Amino acid sequence: MIADWLVCANCAGRVSEGRCGVCRAELARLREERRPWAALGSPAALVALLLTLAAVAFLATRPA
């Protein structure tokens, strides 16, 4: 999401300008979401990744 068109309810300015603390917090949150590995920060995603790796390891070590 791009913050160029978002308007802050606190200061009525554009969020991208970062006039108030609310704007700056929202900008920080948006930048955090844009990181490529941000989705792995959730506990559910980490558990799913660990279960997938365990299943692959189990299948790889299983005798033929």
Side-chain angles (χ1 to χ4, degrees):
M1 178 183 286
I2 298 173
D4 291 339
W5 57 273
L6 295 175
V7 176
C8 178
N10 192 41
C11 68
R14 279 204 237 151
V15 172
S16 60
E17 294 172 0
R19 290 183 186 176
C20 68
V22 176
C23 294
R24 290 187 290 276
E26 185 64 20
L27 276 175
R29 188 187 67 78
L30 289 171
R31 286 186 187 119
E32 194 71 22
E33 280 183 359
R34 270 191 280 172
R35 290 188 322 177
W37 297 101
L40 291 179
S42 69
L46 289 175
V47 168
L49 178 64
L50 288 175
L51 288 174
T52 303
L53 289 174
V56 169
F58 173 74
L59 290 175
T61 59
R62 194 172 63 157

